[in-house]
């Protein structure tokens, strides 16, 4: 059964999303991130893609160079970081990180938000991704 890591900090969705991709716990991923100078309290984690890219790269994963605009759920690669819940604060763009994953052809979203009834989601109409980053094994 597919399980999702739940973020332990309000601002920990990037760390939790990488943990979901790498199969680590939140505390394991947080320790790795902190050792790299990446902290959930840093608001750049919500508005910059470099932190999650660095975490994935350090674990031997590759990411697409650029973000790709979301067109449809069917057009997504088998593994991707998705940006949802876009908003602006003081003129800066922010979003919530989730992971899109296909398992045996079936699509899922692993959403680390602690308030959700289920963190493994298939309510695709309720999510409105803006763009994604393709993730692959190096």
């Amino acid at each position: 059964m597919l399980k999702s890591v739940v973020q332990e900090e309000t601002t920990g969705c990037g760390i939790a999303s990488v943990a979901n991709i790498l199969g680590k716990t939140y505390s394991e991923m947080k320790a790795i991130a902190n050792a790299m100078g990446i902290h959930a309290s840093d608001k750049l984690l919500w508005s910059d893609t470099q932190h999650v890219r660095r975490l994935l790269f350090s674990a031997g994963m590759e990411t697409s160079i650029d973000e790709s605009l979301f067109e449809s759920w069917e057009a997504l690669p088998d593994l991707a970081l998705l940006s949802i819940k876009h908003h602006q604060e003081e003129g800066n763009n922010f979003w919530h990180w989730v992971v899109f994953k296909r398992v045996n052809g079936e699509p899922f979203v692993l959403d680390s938000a602690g308030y959700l009834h289920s963190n493994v989601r298939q309510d695709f109409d309720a999510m409105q991704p803006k763009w994604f980053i393709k993730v692959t094994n190096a």
Side-chain angles (χ1 to χ4, degrees):
M1 180 168 168
L2 201 54
K3 292 172 77 173
S4 176
V5 171
V6 176
Q7 64 196 65
E8 296 175 7
E9 299 160 282
T10 305
T11 55
C13 61
I15 291 170
S17 290
V18 174
N20 274 317
I21 290 171
L22 299 179
K24 298 195 176 294
T25 66
Y26 186 85
S27 58
E28 288 171 330
M29 200 69 243
K30 179 181 175 180
I32 292 166
N34 290 174
M36 294 174 66
I38 299 169
H39 302 273
S41 60
D42 183 352
K43 281 194 170 187
L44 286 178
L45 200 58
W46 295 6
S47 62
D48 186 337
T49 65
Q50 293 311 307
H51 296 301
V52 291
R53 290 175 189 275
R54 281 182 49 220
L55 287 169
L56 289 165
F57 181 76
S58 74
M61 304 295 284
E62 291 185 359
T63 61
S64 55
I65 294 170
D66 295 316
E67 296 80 42
S68 300
L69 286 178
F70 176 84
E71 294 178 13
S72 72
W73 294 101
E74 296 76 24
L76 287 172
D78 287 342
L79 183 59
L81 279 167
L82 286 177
S83 65
I84 65 171
K85 297 185 182 177
H86 280 262
H87 63 283
Q88 284 200 335
E89 290 181 22
E90 300 174 9
N92 294 316
N93 290 314
F94 291 92
W95 55 83
H96 175 63
W97 288 113
V98 296
V99 176
F100 175 82
K101 188 175 200 175
R102 261 190 211 90
V103 178
N104 298 323
E106 189 170 356
F108 296 93
V109 169
L110 304 177
D111 188 335
S112 64
Y115 58 82
L116 293 171
H117 175 66
S118 173
N119 296 95
V120 179
R121 301 177 64 179
Q122 289 186 303
D123 57 335
F124 300 112
D125 291 340
M127 295 176 275
Q128 302 197 355
K130 190 167 187 174
W131 46 261
F132 66 93
I133 297 171
K134 180 179 179 178
V135 180
T136 55
N137 286 320

